[in-house]
Amino acid sequence: MAVLFHPPVDTLRKYMFVLPCLFPMSSSFQGDGFQSNTARLPLSSRMVLCALRPQLLKSSTSVGAWGRLLQRQSSGSVYSNIHGFNQEEIREKLLAFPGGSIDLHKHDSGIAVLTINNPSRMNAFSGSMMVDLEEQVRQLENWMDGKGLIVQGAAETFCSGSDLNAVRAISNPQDGMKMCMFMQNTLTRLLRLPLISVALVEGRALGGGAELTTACDFRLMASDSVIQFVHKHMGLVPGWGGAARLVHIVGSQNALKLLGGTLKVDPKFGLQIGLADGVLEGPQAEEGAETPLQQAENWLSRYIKGPAPVIQAVKKVVLSGRELPLSEALRTEKDVFGTVWGGPANLQALASKSKHK
Ligand SMILES: CCC(=O)SCCNC(=O)CCNC(=O)[C@H](O)C(C)(C)COP(=O)(O)OP(=O)(O)OC[C@H]1O[C@@H](n2cnc3c(N)ncnc32)[C@H](O)[C@@H]1OP(=O)(O)O
């Protein structure tokens, strides 16, 4: 299962003869994991090393299965060319349906805000927005200082799913499959980001919008918001990975009820079945009242206190526990543990003799 990029120490040692000329801090490759060590490198060096990945894989005979895993892991995608998926081809097709945008703002706090922005269509996903989303997820995959992510809709509503105008134009099965694979890849990569993510749901999250909420770790709902998997009304089932993720979140009984009954999930029902993780305070007229975004930032901040490598490691061990069979998850946990053990935050905590009262 594709989750983490973490080559074995032996593989890295092989290249220690090559790397010193590229990386002044190459001695840090000797002990522990790749990710924590590369995180300590200057950005340009990290980029070179990322670019080197395919060569490292190709030129090492011992890499084998690890190499294949690594190639999958480095993108976090579900589909590649071996599944008949041609990213460039579907990108071109999607770009023929423009409108709206996906906006990304990365803050110094380590929280990024991703906004679904197409208010004249209730933030429906045009084709170009699907392409935008993939590009913004790519940005986030390379954000070494990131810790948290808030996904929201513009103009106080979340997202009304795919743009029906675009959907009508690509309603043939071949194009539908390509769009489905493209969005599954992107939303899987979104969920697999080493950031703790939360969907801030105001207004409505319908169809693909409801699916998008399940690609975040948590969902916070405004008091008057609704999440609804309306697919059955459209003669469809979820295709952006929303059904599989929904089963993980609420269990198969509840998922069957939500999809089969196209039930409207308000905050109370959402909390009851575990789809919602919190409810925002209602609109407040008083001056100084927190906006929904500020409330979401405050909610998230308690889970992302601390240095980025540690928060990212937290997300990775939970993600591997969620996605991998137990023995693989345990091995991954060991590897991630190796990236923080003896790291700066660990040494500082040991030196300060902290008590956890
Ligand atoms: C992955 C598969 C999927 O996503 S299937 C699900 C696709 N989505 C839908 O079927 C939602 C259809 N839209 C609606 O039910 C309503 O527009 C909702 C979202 C409830 C809002 O209703 P209401 O507040 O009355 O506003 P409205 O209908 O006047 O909409 C405002 C303008 O937005 C547009 N809009 C809305 N949703 C979409 C959409 N998904 N694709 C394209 N356009 C959409 C409406 O057509 C309307 O536009 P206009 O002002 O009439 O030009």
Side-chain angles (χ1 to χ4, degrees):
M1 181 66 68
V3 184
L4 298 163
F5 177 62
H6 189 87
V9 171
D10 284 345
T11 308
L12 289 173
R13 284 212 174 104
K14 277 194 162 204
Y15 292 93
M16 280 176 55
F17 302 104
V18 183
L19 293 169
C21 61
L22 293 165
F23 310 113
M25 294 167 67
S26 61
S27 59
S28 66
F29 281 91
Q30 287 180 58
D32 48 12
F34 178 91
Q35 194 129 13
S36 65
N37 284 322
T38 54
R40 290 178 212 138
L41 294 169
L43 182 62
S44 55
S45 301
R46 290 199 303 261
M47 287 166 70
V48 173
L49 188 52
C50 286
L52 261 183
R53 273 183 208 169
Q55 273 136 304
L56 293 179
L57 293 175
K58 252 189 252 156
S59 54
S60 169
T61 49
S62 70
V63 170
W66 171 259
R68 285 190 295 281
L69 179 67
L70 194 52
Q71 274 169 327
R72 287 208 307 274
Q73 287 178 336
S74 62
S75 73
S77 293
V78 180
Y79 304 105
S80 65
N81 49 2
I82 60 162
H83 305 100
F85 177 72
N86 181 337
Q87 168 127 332
E88 278 317 302
E89 182 203 6
I90 182 67
R91 263 177 65 96
E92 288 306 308
K93 212 168 258 290
L94 291 171
L95 286 171
F97 304 99
S101 60
I102 305 290
D103 307 328
L104 177 64
H105 293 285
K106 293 186 239 165
H107 299 293
D108 291 343
S109 62
I111 294 181
V113 179
L114 191 71
T115 304
I116 318 302
N117 188 1
N118 193 9
S120 66
R121 293 187 174 171
M122 308 297 281
N123 299 328
F125 261 89
S126 67
S128 63
M129 286 166 72
M130 295 181 193
V131 173
D132 268 6
L133 181 64
E134 193 275 330
E135 284 168 7
Q136 303 296 26
V137 167
R138 191 179 300 274
Q139 290 277 327
L140 290 167
E141 283 168 340
N142 292 314
W143 190 27
M144 305 308 267
D145 303 323
K147 300 194 280 183
L149 173 68
I150 296 172
V151 180
Q152 65 167 7
E156 294 169 16
T157 192
F158 191 73
C159 170
S160 63
S162 49
D163 183 329
L164 294 173
N165 304 300
V167 166
R168 275 181 208 106
I170 58 163
S171 61
N172 65 77
Q174 294 81 3
D175 287 345
M177 281 302 94
K178 288 172 188 165
M179 186 268 284
C180 164
M181 289 195 276
F182 186 90
M183 285 303 284
Q184 276 197 17
N185 270 357
T186 303
L187 294 187
T188 304
R189 287 165 57 193
L190 177 65
L191 186 59
R192 288 176 178 171
L193 287 171
L195 308 171
I196 299 181
S197 58
V198 56
L200 163 54
V201 185
E202 296 179 87
R204 290 165 195 263
L206 300 184
E211 294 192 63
L212 174 59
T213 72
T214 65
C216 294
D217 298 310
F218 298 110
R219 282 143 296 281
L220 291 179
M221 295 182 73
S223 53
D224 57 353
S225 65
V226 169
I227 300 176
Q228 189 179 11
F229 292 82
V230 296
H231 304 73
K232 197 186 78 172
H233 286 161
M234 306 294 296
L236 292 172
V237 293
W240 296 358
R245 292 188 297 267
L246 186 65
V247 169
H248 276 244
I249 297 166
V250 300
S252 59
Q253 300 296 104
N254 285 319
L256 205 49
K257 288 179 192 165
L258 296 191
L259 298 185
T262 57
L263 303 186
K264 284 187 180 172
V265 182
D266 63 13
K268 188 168 170 234
F269 186 32
L271 285 176
Q272 190 190 319
I273 60 174
L275 186 59
D277 298 281
V279 181
L280 302 182
E281 284 171 19
Q284 287 167 357
E286 313 111 57
E287 215 174 295
E290 285 183 327
T291 63
L293 181 58
Q294 285 167 335
Q295 289 185 54
E297 280 168 348
N298 284 343
W299 188 90
L300 184 56
S301 64
R302 88 193 69 163
Y303 302 111
I304 61 156
K305 280 200 184 83
V310 178
I311 306 305
Q312 294 188 7
V314 167
K315 170 69 184 273
K316 286 171 189 171
V317 292
V318 172
L319 186 63
S320 65
R322 189 158 67 197
E323 293 205 7
L324 298 172
L326 183 61
S327 51
E328 269 185 72
L330 290 172
R331 284 193 291 271
T332 304
E333 186 172 309
K334 168 187 70 69
D335 290 343
V336 176
F337 177 76
T339 70
V340 286
W341 175 263
N346 179 224
L347 294 178
Q348 198 182 346
L350 292 171
S352 69
K353 295 184 187 163
S354 52
K355 287 191 181 187
H356 310 286
K357 282 187 172 170

